[in-house]
Amino acid sequence: MRRPARFRPTLAALLLAVAALVAGTVAPAEAGQRGDRRAWTATWATAASEHYEVSGMSEVTVRMPVRTSVGGSSVRIRLTNAYATDPVTIGHATVGLRDGGSAVARPYDVRFGGKRAVTIPAGGEAVSDPVRLAVPALADLVVSLHLPGQVTHITDHWWAQQTVYWTDYGAGDHVSDTSGDAYTWTTTSWPFLSGVDVTAPRTGAVVALGDSITDGSFSTADTNQRWPDLLSARLNACLPGAGVLNAGITSNRITAGTETNPSALDRLDRDVLSQPGARTLILFEGINDLGGASAEQIVAGMTEIADRAHRRGMRVVGATITPYKDFTWGGWTEETEARRQQVNAFVRDSGGVFDAYADFDRAVRDPADPRRLGVAYDSGDHLHPNDAGMKAFADSIDLTSLGLGRGCS
């Protein structure tokens, strides 16, 4: 059994710290026909955050479970080859509801411009044709991709907290299998897949822009305990119809970035403003900036993000930066704490920069020492919340502040 060779940055660094459109276009809120009350809305998304080389990969199939937020009557998938240096060919793709593990109840063929195969150029993306499939809210949907040719580079989202299933190299096309028997090894990253959209009532979607905490690091894998997932459960329990999208990337910052981990400012268009149906942004970033940027620089970055989102007609909710004194891999000082407090004071009283705020700091801090993460919410490294902390975030958000007109309280 062969697996791709991969190189990772150190855990300490990870924890603290126009595209070619092949088969369609993606717009923030794609309209249907005039008078149509349904439109494409993103039900799931992830942000490309890594590129790595592979050797000897061909005739392989990958099967990826994702958790829907809003339900709809049709579905399409979005694929990315953003950071690759070579084109990649998808020979066959299917989508269907999960039937446990790597099994799919009924895989439906996905086409691109009427064709089964699509080649995505280096740096490009592809949007599939619609598939007539009733997709429930809060369901496990499975996207399967057959990669027939030599694959040399993979763009993916790492540390997905989700088991992804692969066939061995040379196994061929297994996207239409209902059983998962052909899928013999696993990873925890989503390759090539960047989004899933459904046709849904025009209630819109919330995008959570964040770092490893939003990404769900140290929440329980395969249980969808990331705070955006839990927020989605709250929204869809009161009146179904809102998408909730996770645009978290481990180690992401507002003020600086790298080629495959661009700053929140640099990736705003790609990961937030271009999401179909995006109406509200929750900005929860800054903890990775505290060690290298001033409070004034962080606030300026937050202000620019909010201004750009507002110009696109979006509502913006700011979230306070959570405590991290005694973080296992260091980085906390009295100086960074002072910066955190300064930024949080701005978030709580932004003078109209934000339409509302979510006090994540207050939700999970230790009452005895507000500089520390509360014991009940600590995953063990004193920075990343556990499942209870993720729930505290989701529960602390005033649903009416999201501006979706859903009658939630």
Side-chain angles (χ1 to χ4, degrees):
M1 181 174 6
R2 293 166 290 181
R3 295 171 171 79
R6 318 182 60 162
F7 296 91
R8 303 290 187 202
T10 64
L11 186 60
L14 285 170
L15 298 184
L16 189 60
V18 178
L21 302 182
V22 176
T25 57
V26 179
E30 293 189 18
Q33 298 298 318
R34 181 170 296 182
D36 183 7
R37 295 186 177 182
R38 303 179 73 85
W40 286 113
T41 298
T43 187
W44 176 89
T46 194
S49 62
E50 182 188 52
H51 158 242
Y52 62 94
E53 296 183 5
V54 291
S55 176
M57 177 183 278
S58 67
E59 287 297 337
V60 64
T61 303
V62 58
R63 178 161 279 183
M64 296 170 279
V66 301
R67 185 70 167 178
T68 67
S69 52
V70 63
S73 56
S74 295
V75 63
R76 70 181 183 187
I77 64 173
R78 289 179 277 133
L79 306 176
T80 181
N81 199 26
Y83 298 126
T85 57
D86 294 323
V88 65
T89 295
I90 308 300
H92 190 191
T94 60
V95 62
L97 296 175
R98 194 178 191 183
D99 193 26
S102 55
V104 180
R106 179 184 172 184
Y108 289 76
D109 274 354
V110 175
R111 294 188 176 271
F112 300 83
K115 299 178 180 180
R116 191 164 86 165
V118 63
T119 297
I120 311 173
E125 61 183 38
V127 183
S128 79
D129 301 339
V131 176
R132 191 69 178 175
L133 169 63
V135 177
L138 308 179
D140 288 337
L141 195 70
V142 177
V143 176
S144 303
L145 305 176
H146 171 229
L147 307 170
Q150 287 290 327
V151 179
T152 58
H153 300 82
I154 291 178
T155 292
D156 76 352
H157 179 92
W158 178 59
W159 212 357
Q161 298 299 97
Q162 175 65 59
T163 299
V164 169
Y165 305 90
W166 294 77
T167 67
D168 200 9
Y169 295 6
D173 182 359
H174 289 275
V175 301
S176 298
D177 292 7
T178 54
S179 80
D181 293 346
Y183 296 86
T184 55
W185 59 281
T186 63
T187 59
T188 55
S189 63
W190 287 302
F192 303 115
L193 185 64
S194 61
V196 178
D197 309 328
V198 296
T199 52
R202 293 172 179 269
T203 49
V206 179
V207 187
L209 181 62
D211 47 43
S212 58
I213 299 176
T214 294
D215 207 9
S217 300
F218 292 93
S219 64
T220 302
D222 295 320
T223 62
N224 301 301
Q225 295 297 304
R226 313 165 194 87
W227 71 260
D229 294 314
L230 300 174
L231 174 61
S232 176
R234 284 189 66 204
L235 280 171
N236 284 282
C238 61
L239 182 62
V244 180
L245 314 177
N246 191 328
I249 296 180
T250 294
S251 299
N252 199 236
R253 290 179 286 174
I254 293 173
T255 59
T258 66
E259 180 186 2
T260 59
N261 193 343
S263 71
L265 287 162
D266 288 340
R267 67 188 184 95
L268 184 67
D269 285 342
R270 182 194 74 177
D271 294 340
V272 178
L273 304 184
S274 66
Q275 294 293 345
R279 293 191 182 179
T280 303
L281 163 63
I282 301 177
L283 175 60
F284 180 34
E285 290 241 28
I287 198 166
N288 292 317
D289 297 85
L290 292 172
S294 68
E296 290 78 10
Q297 289 172 318
I298 298 169
V299 166
M302 289 180 164
T303 300
E304 181 180 339
I305 288 170
D307 287 347
R308 287 166 58 188
H310 280 146
R311 289 198 296 269
R312 295 293 289 269
M314 294 183 67
R315 187 172 178 83
V316 183
V317 177
T320 51
I321 302 174
T322 49
Y324 67 103
K325 186 181 180 185
D326 299 328
F327 175 48
T328 301
W329 287 278
W332 184 93
T333 66
E334 293 289 351
E335 183 180 3
T336 62
E337 177 64 21
R339 291 174 188 165
R340 187 178 75 90
Q341 295 295 343
Q342 188 175 342
V343 173
N344 283 352
F346 164 76
V347 172
R348 294 183 179 111
D349 186 11
S350 67
V353 171
F354 297 125
D355 299 287
Y357 73 91
D359 207 338
F360 286 179
D361 170 37
R362 184 181 297 274
V364 298
R365 68 193 184 193
D366 185 345
D369 185 353
R371 300 170 299 175
R372 290 187 171 92
L373 191 61
V375 174
Y377 305 121
D378 192 347
S379 67
D381 70 355
H382 313 306
L383 183 149
H384 294 93
N386 56 18
D387 292 354
M390 295 290 176
K391 185 176 186 299
F393 289 156
D395 288 348
S396 72
I397 297 172
D398 177 2
L399 299 186
T400 62
S401 73
L402 302 179
L404 295 176
R406 294 162 49 84
C408 297
S409 59

